[in-house]
């Protein structure tokens, strides 16, 4: 997730201070990193993104807005969450990517939702609640909200950020679990599709944010906000244990930090950047292929790109970008076709 800081700031309405939210980091970015029309040396080719919709403005109650979790339905509607929306204002929003029109779908009194993902098991839309430590599901129209999971994992409450699903509908959640710069108690947690059994797959992580399966569902790509790294977790056949883990890519982002991750049909990684309205594209072997950026004229007032949804079977991609200038959806052409692992998370 992203905000004007890799720490997700959520102004606690009723007298609560800011809750670090964004990519689960803690350093505040005080100025936007200028975008350019050409990627810098070593950043691969430049992919220009164009504006689709201006979805939100900064909320008076929270002092910010932060769009996350873009998710496409088969009919083309795009859904996004606004992490810092106060009670009563839309927290789940649908966007018509053709017209740019948008409408609120769901809100509640307490949630700070940092991701959205469809379950391949029951078809419901699942959202991680960074504020309460729970996972909530709703019907497509925002009705029938249910708490899928809430409580402690191995004696500790989660701070859930992003979600990935396997084909059976089990969840894999990045648990930021601490937002101080030197904290390394983040986790990747598996929750069975019934919402009852939890397993810590990996721990000792520095504010994990992005989590997504590779195309073959053999392992998970994860990003650590506080280390600017992308690691690969190879799983066993049951996907209940990690058989190996290694740091695969170090993201040289300068002031920017690693946010959410998506994966396309070719196995390419789309690494969102907190602190820069851009996204880095890597091959599965770590080569920087491209940098997706908004036009320089649009960059003022934008701080971060949080995530992307690539049309399953196509290359139309939609990226959520936010900052003090508001929350936006931008589109670009992806290097390869989208799959389930490049739609939400």
């Amino acid at each position: 997730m992203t905000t004007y800081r890799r720490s997700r700031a959520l102004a606690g309405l009723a007298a609560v201070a800011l809750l670090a939210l964004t990519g689960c980091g803690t350093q505040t970015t005080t100025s936007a990193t200028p975008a350019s029309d050409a990627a810098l040396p070593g950043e691969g080719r430049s992919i220009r993104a164009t504006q689709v919709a201006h979805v939100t403005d900064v909320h008076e109650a929270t002092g910010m807005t932060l769009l996350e979790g873009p998710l496409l339905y088969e009919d083309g509607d795009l859904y996004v969450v606004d992490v810092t929306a106060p009670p009563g204002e839309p927290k789940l929003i649908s966007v018509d990517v053709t017209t740019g029109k948008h409408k609120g779908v769901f809100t509640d009194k307490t949630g700070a939702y940092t991701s959205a993902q469809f379950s391949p098991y029951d078809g419901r839309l699942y959202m991680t609640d960074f504020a309460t430590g729970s996972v909530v599901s709703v019907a497509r129209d925002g009705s029938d909200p249910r708490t899928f999971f809430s409580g402690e994992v191995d004696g500790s409450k989660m701070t859930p950020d992003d979600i990935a699903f396997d084909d059976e509908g089990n969840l894999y959640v990045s648990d930021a679990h601490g937002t101080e710069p030197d904290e390394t108690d983040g986790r990747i947690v598996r929750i069975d599709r019934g919402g009852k059994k939890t397993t810590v797959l990996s721990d000792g992580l520095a504010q994990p944010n992005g989590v997504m399966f590779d195309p073959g569902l053999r392992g998970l790509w994860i990003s650590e906000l506080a280390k600017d790294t992308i690691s690969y977790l190879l799983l066993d056949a049951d996907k209940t244990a990690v058989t190996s883990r290694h740091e695969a890519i170090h993201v040289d982002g300068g002031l920017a930090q690693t946010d959410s991750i998506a994966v396309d049909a070719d196995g390419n990684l789309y690494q969102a950047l907190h602190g820069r309205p851009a996204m880095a594209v890597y091959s599965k072997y770590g080569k920087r292929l491209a940098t997706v950026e908004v036009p320089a004229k649009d960059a003022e007032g934008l701080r971060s790109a949080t995530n992307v949804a690539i049309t399953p079977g196509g290359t139309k991609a939609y990226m959520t970008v936010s900052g003090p200038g508001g929350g936006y959806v931008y589109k670009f052409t992806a290097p390869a076709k989208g799959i389930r692992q490049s739609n939400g998370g």
Side-chain angles (χ1 to χ4, degrees):
M1 153 185 302
T2 296
T3 184
Y4 322 150
R5 63 187 290 169
R6 187 51 274 192
S7 355
R8 324 182 145 199
L10 189 246
L13 304 174
V16 182
L18 295 183
L19 171 66
L21 288 166
T22 275
C24 295
T26 52
Q27 282 109 325
T28 302
T29 302
T30 56
S31 62
T33 301
S36 64
D37 292 339
L40 298 172
E43 294 194 337
R45 66 186 180 93
S46 179
I47 298 176
R48 176 77 66 83
T50 58
Q51 186 179 315
V52 171
H54 179 180
V55 181
T56 58
D57 292 305
V58 171
H59 304 289
E60 182 178 353
T62 59
M64 61 187 304
T65 184
L66 179 60
L67 298 187
E68 256 282 13
L71 181 64
L72 282 163
Y73 272 96
E74 291 182 358
D75 60 8
D77 276 350
L78 180 76
Y79 283 63
V80 299
V81 290
D82 183 356
V83 185
T84 62
E89 294 192 33
K91 298 186 177 184
L92 176 66
I93 304 165
S94 69
V95 181
D96 186 320
V97 295
T98 301
T99 66
K101 294 181 179 179
H102 49 87
K103 63 179 180 180
V105 175
F106 171 79
T107 190
D108 64 9
K109 294 182 178 179
T110 60
Y113 299 104
T114 56
S115 67
Q117 182 71 272
F118 291 126
S119 167
Y121 176 66
D122 61 16
R124 290 173 61 84
L125 190 154
Y126 285 69
M127 300 179 290
T128 48
D129 185 350
F130 200 88
T132 68
S134 60
V135 179
V136 174
S137 75
V138 296
R140 174 174 177 171
D141 62 2
S143 64
D144 190 26
R146 305 174 190 172
T147 298
F148 169 77
F149 176 82
S150 181
E152 295 183 342
V153 175
D154 285 3
S156 180
K157 177 184 172 182
M158 285 206 302
T159 308
D161 198 329
D162 284 4
I163 299 176
F165 279 95
D166 63 24
D167 284 346
E168 287 71 45
N170 302 300
L171 286 75
Y172 301 76
V173 180
S174 57
D175 178 12
H177 207 264
T179 54
E180 294 303 317
D182 58 349
E183 289 184 311
T184 56
D185 55 354
R187 307 178 290 186
I188 301 297
V189 177
R190 182 186 190 271
I191 308 174
D192 79 303
R193 71 185 186 193
K196 303 299 182 183
K197 183 178 181 180
T198 62
T199 305
V200 176
L201 295 177
S202 187
D203 57 13
L205 303 174
Q207 299 174 29
N209 189 326
V211 57
M212 191 54 63
F213 275 100
D214 60 21
L217 278 78
R218 296 190 310 137
L220 292 166
W221 290 105
I222 67 169
S223 64
E224 294 176 73
L225 175 73
K227 290 180 66 177
D228 280 345
T229 58
I230 301 171
S231 296
Y232 183 70
L233 312 183
L234 182 65
L235 304 181
D236 65 5
D238 295 329
K239 299 181 178 63
T240 57
V242 173
T243 60
S244 68
R245 163 183 154 188
H246 71 276
E247 291 187 359
I249 300 169
H250 181 83
V251 179
D252 295 322
L255 294 177
Q257 296 173 280
T258 51
D259 206 307
S260 299
I261 291 179
V263 179
D264 67 23
D266 287 355
N268 299 319
L269 306 174
Y270 296 74
Q271 177 60 65
L273 298 176
H274 172 68
R276 178 183 177 186
M279 180 166 287
V281 184
Y282 294 91
S283 76
K284 59 186 176 183
Y285 296 114
K287 180 181 179 181
R288 182 76 167 255
L289 302 176
T291 301
V292 183
E293 295 188 274
V294 302
K297 63 181 179 63
D298 293 356
E300 185 176 356
L302 298 177
R303 294 292 185 267
S304 302
T306 54
N307 210 336
V308 65
I310 306 173
T311 307
T315 57
K316 291 182 179 179
Y318 301 93
M319 177 173 69
T320 43
V321 184
S322 301
Y328 295 80
V329 173
Y330 278 76
K331 66 179 179 181
F332 64 93
T333 300
K337 292 181 178 180
I339 53 178
R340 184 167 62 78
Q341 286 77 16
S342 42
N343 188 24

